[in-house]
Amino acid sequence: RRVEILPHPSVHMVFEHSGDARVVGVAKEKFVRMLQDRNGVFGVKFRPGGFHPFFGAHVSSLADRALSIDAVFGAAGESLVREINAEIDDAGRRRVAEAFLSSRVVSDPLVSWIADIVYAVASDRTILKVDDLVERQGVNKRTLQRLFSKYVGATPKWVIQRYRLHEAAAQLAAHADVNHAALAASLGYSDQAHFVRDFQSTVGMSPARFARRSRSP
């Protein structure tokens, strides 16, 4: 089975039953994986900005990259992988992961604020450009860009665009009569061609093809 997931502005820790374990930064393109035979994956998804206190560096340096757990956490990371693999169910793996992260969390009041900004972008479809976000948050554009690089690992423009493309995908999958030009305009695109190009770059196919495939049995 082919699994496809559209990108979100989150960092993940991924533990495969095969023993492979890594920290995965924000991916700019969709995640595609072919699942076959029998295997399993246990993952920890961080809130936007939530990995920075554990990483201690600009999260943008992880964008489109995957690092081994020990490359990030050293010998403690190697021990974590062994403990995760020793558990027989996800409940046990969750307890191990939570204990590991709780013992290392560093208080940073900006984390919750950054997460709230990202969630506002996700929920408010009237946020179409960075200036909209600057106006709502009352923060300088340059400061916002710097904070997103440090905490989120992606630019504010990228985050806004991706969530609007998520909306587009949801509408195309749910409704057969979506007007693509009107949809593009509602998402802040100057013309349909730019919308089609961004959609295809992120999703891997045109909006029309995505709509047909989403509704096929």
Side-chain angles (χ1 to χ4, degrees):
R1 180 184 179 188
R2 179 184 174 93
V3 174
E4 301 179 356
I5 302 174
L6 294 181
H8 286 262
S10 293
V11 174
H12 296 75
M13 290 200 309
V14 179
F15 304 84
E16 296 202 36
H17 291 183
S18 62
D20 183 30
R22 58 201 181 278
V23 172
V24 182
V26 175
K28 301 300 178 62
E29 305 297 338
K30 71 175 178 179
F31 173 83
V32 179
R33 187 73 174 270
M34 187 65 70
L35 301 182
Q36 58 186 12
D37 300 325
R38 293 180 62 86
N39 200 345
V41 176
F42 174 76
V44 178
K45 180 181 180 180
F46 291 82
R47 291 191 304 165
F51 189 68
H52 177 264
F54 301 97
F55 191 48
H58 278 227
V59 180
S60 58
S61 66
L62 278 174
D64 288 319
R65 298 177 62 201
L67 299 179
S68 64
I69 296 290
D70 60 283
V72 178
F73 295 105
E78 295 180 354
S79 298
L80 172 64
V81 174
R82 288 194 295 270
E83 292 181 44
I84 290 285
N85 291 336
E87 295 293 333
I88 61 174
D89 56 30
D90 283 343
R93 297 181 188 103
R94 184 171 62 249
R95 285 193 296 270
V96 170
E98 287 177 347
F100 177 86
L101 294 170
S102 295
S103 68
R104 286 164 176 78
V105 68
V106 177
S107 178
D108 186 338
L110 288 180
V111 169
S112 292
W113 181 58
I114 293 294
D116 287 343
I117 292 176
V118 175
Y119 291 145
V121 173
S123 61
D124 186 351
R125 61 175 302 169
T126 66
I127 298 176
L128 301 176
K129 54 185 184 295
V130 179
D131 286 340
D132 296 332
L133 199 54
V134 167
E135 181 180 347
R136 284 164 173 74
Q137 297 299 325
V139 63
N140 178 275
K141 182 185 289 189
R142 189 177 182 87
T143 298
L144 189 66
Q145 291 170 335
R146 178 177 55 81
L147 289 172
F148 266 58
S149 173
K150 181 178 181 179
Y151 284 86
V152 180
T155 66
K157 179 180 179 179
W158 183 89
V159 172
I160 292 169
Q161 183 187 65
R162 286 309 177 272
Y163 277 123
R164 300 295 79 86
L165 289 176
H166 280 224
E167 283 183 31
Q171 291 192 42
L172 291 167
H175 306 289
D177 57 348
V178 173
N179 182 295
H180 293 184
L183 177 59
S186 72
L187 298 175
Y189 283 92
S190 58
D191 56 60
Q192 186 176 345
H194 281 85
F195 163 63
V196 171
R197 184 185 63 202
D198 284 350
F199 190 94
Q200 185 153 348
S201 174
T202 300
V203 180
M205 63 187 73
S206 69
R209 183 183 173 198
F210 176 84
R212 290 194 300 270
R213 200 181 73 165
S214 297
R215 290 190 296 273
S216 63

